[in-house]
Amino acid sequence: MADIQFVVSPNWLLQHLQDPQVIIVDCRFSLAEPQLGQQQYKLSHIQGAYYLDLNLDLSSPVGEHGGRHPLPNADDIAKKLAAIGVEFQKTLVVAYDDSRFAFASRLWWLLRYLGHEQVAVLDGGFSQWQQAGYPISDIIPQFKTANFVPQIQPQLLVDITDVKTRKDLPSVVLVDSRESDRYRGEREPIDKIAGHIPGAVNYPWMEVTDAKGYLISPTENSQRWQNIATAEEILVYCGSGVTACVNLLSLELAGIHTGKLYAGSWSDWISY
């Protein structure tokens, strides 16, 4: 499976549904209704998929600083991954959501941060899988035992101090991944303060997919980043370090490997 480039088609996944080396993870979630994703999963999900919750599994509890979705404790998430059968650096994890990669990309980024490169997101997400008539189920698969010992990749992450000291360097670009009206401060549905980090440029995360949730073409994706492709560091943030991961996925697909996540993002920045 060395040829997997971080995104798999519904048809590819259909062919690998019974593959013991593939673990499917449902990441559906709603920021407005935090229980909705789990409820949807229990009703129907891709056959054989496990569920990981953005708040409960892919984040740690909220504190005074660190933003609305601080990164999970590495040992905690490692145990959860082992319990669904993810063998470190062996199992291919395929993550999906129904939100144009918003939450699946968080798991994609997290696994790579933990040192596990074998991870992809499902193109089109759950809706397109269902529309194709592919197998869905309400059966929750049994837990397994696997060995997952994380090897943290600190170079993929920055904190508020890094952002402050590096964002204005000529070789560094700071990218705000939120919708343009939130970037401009005209609308702020979640955080207490509107606006953006000074010096940031805006690349809205939803531009990575089309209206159906399919990835834009490789050419379009590369062109999207052409103005900043040569930067030595691209520091990426959003509201809380979740949808920024869609842009980090997009950068990797464009062959740009200098992207780093400011995990605390805007919600952390305004907490000081």
Side-chain angles (χ1 to χ4, degrees):
M1 293 181 199
D3 58 341
I4 296 297
Q5 271 303 305
F6 296 144
V7 180
V8 298
S9 69
N11 187 54
W12 185 94
L13 186 58
L14 179 68
Q15 306 303 320
H16 291 82
L17 270 187
Q18 306 304 324
D19 189 333
Q21 288 299 314
V22 176
I23 294 289
I24 307 167
V25 180
D26 187 319
C27 298
R28 283 177 291 173
F29 192 80
S30 166
L31 293 172
E33 295 177 71
Q35 279 77 44
L36 184 63
Q38 198 147 19
Q39 290 165 357
Q40 290 171 327
Y41 170 77
K42 285 175 181 172
L43 283 173
S44 70
H45 49 261
I46 293 177
Q47 185 181 306
Y50 292 88
Y51 185 75
L52 289 177
D53 185 281
L54 173 66
N55 282 354
L56 304 177
D57 304 312
L58 307 182
S59 308
S60 57
V62 178
E64 184 186 356
H65 303 297
R68 283 182 280 109
H69 292 104
L71 296 184
N73 174 280
D75 291 334
D76 291 346
I77 186 68
K79 283 175 192 160
K80 290 173 182 179
L81 291 163
I84 62 171
V86 181
E87 197 74 37
F88 185 72
Q89 284 294 44
K90 291 181 183 174
T91 309
L92 175 70
V93 177
V94 177
Y96 73 87
D97 58 35
D98 218 0
S99 305
R100 297 170 68 166
F101 301 165
F103 308 109
S105 290
R106 167 76 165 212
L107 179 57
W108 169 84
W109 183 89
L110 257 179
L111 278 163
R112 296 183 68 244
Y113 174 66
L114 296 171
H116 184 90
E117 289 280 331
Q118 282 70 29
V119 56
V121 296
L122 176 65
D123 209 8
F126 185 72
S127 291
Q128 300 308 316
W129 176 271
Q130 199 172 20
Q131 207 158 323
Y134 292 162
I136 57 173
S137 174
D138 61 357
I139 297 169
I140 295 172
Q142 292 183 322
F143 284 117
K144 302 182 178 183
T145 50
N147 188 35
F148 194 98
V149 181
Q151 295 175 6
I152 301 293
Q153 306 297 305
Q155 74 280 6
L156 298 180
L157 183 69
V158 290
D159 62 16
I160 190 167
T161 306
D162 299 322
V163 174
K164 282 179 175 176
T165 54
R166 279 145 56 185
K167 71 182 181 70
D168 298 318
L169 297 174
S171 58
V172 175
V173 177
L174 180 63
V175 169
D176 186 314
S177 306
R178 297 170 303 162
E179 299 91 329
S180 296
D181 56 351
R182 284 185 73 191
Y183 165 78
R184 292 191 299 265
E186 297 162 3
R187 177 181 73 95
E188 184 44 68
I190 306 173
D191 292 306
K192 290 175 182 173
I193 300 171
H196 62 264
I197 299 174
V201 291
N202 187 212
Y203 284 78
W205 68 275
M206 290 181 87
E207 292 176 355
V208 176
T209 51
D210 64 19
K212 287 186 173 178
Y214 284 114
L215 187 69
I216 56 176
S217 74
T219 304
E220 287 174 295
N221 190 58
S222 293
Q223 285 173 344
R224 191 168 174 255
W225 299 109
Q226 62 187 7
N227 291 342
I228 63 170
T230 57
E232 285 177 24
E233 276 189 312
I234 301 174
L235 313 181
V236 186
Y237 77 93
C238 54
S240 64
V242 177
T243 54
C245 297
V246 182
N247 267 339
L248 288 162
L249 172 66
S250 173
L251 284 164
E252 285 291 329
L253 293 170
I256 301 165
H257 309 302
T258 49
K260 301 183 178 190
L261 177 67
Y262 171 25
S265 286
W266 179 246
S267 53
D268 175 58
W269 183 268
I270 61 171
S271 71
Y272 288 92

